Amino acid sequence: TFEAAPSAIQRLIIPGNEQVINAASVLRGKGFDVRAIRRPTVPDGTERLRICLHAFNSPAQIAALAEALNNLDMI
């Protein structure tokens, strides 16, 4: 589940510790620095990817991240 936040830090809910860890690993393998936030830091079922966007990210980088997120098998 993705809901755009009005800040540089975005989240993508991927329930389950194993699933969110796998998603972060796939994205890191493609060169994206994302973090898996998992329980017990967040409640069970609300595990998420933490994505930080910056002013220096190019439109091409944002598009590549969006494509990589859309292609995750576990979502």
Side-chain angles (χ1 to χ4, degrees), residues 1-73:
T1 305
F2 177 77
E3 296 175 18
S7 74
I9 299 172
Q10 301 295 311
R11 68 177 180 165
L12 177 64
I13 303 293
I14 301 178
N17 279 350
E18 184 176 331
Q19 290 84 349
V20 77
I21 290 168
N22 289 341
S25 178
V26 166
L27 292 168
R28 278 194 308 275
K30 295 180 181 212
F32 299 106
D33 185 16
V34 298
R35 305 293 173 184
I37 309 301
R38 52 191 196 244
R39 72 177 174 276
T41 303
V42 295
D44 188 28
T46 66
E47 296 81 7
R48 63 200 65 191
L49 291 177
R50 183 177 188 264
I51 303 166
C52 295
L53 302 175
H54 304 279
F56 57 80
N57 290 123
S58 70
Q61 289 172 325
I62 302 296
L65 174 61
E67 182 177 347
L69 291 169
N70 282 329
N71 290 330
L72 286 174
D73 289 339

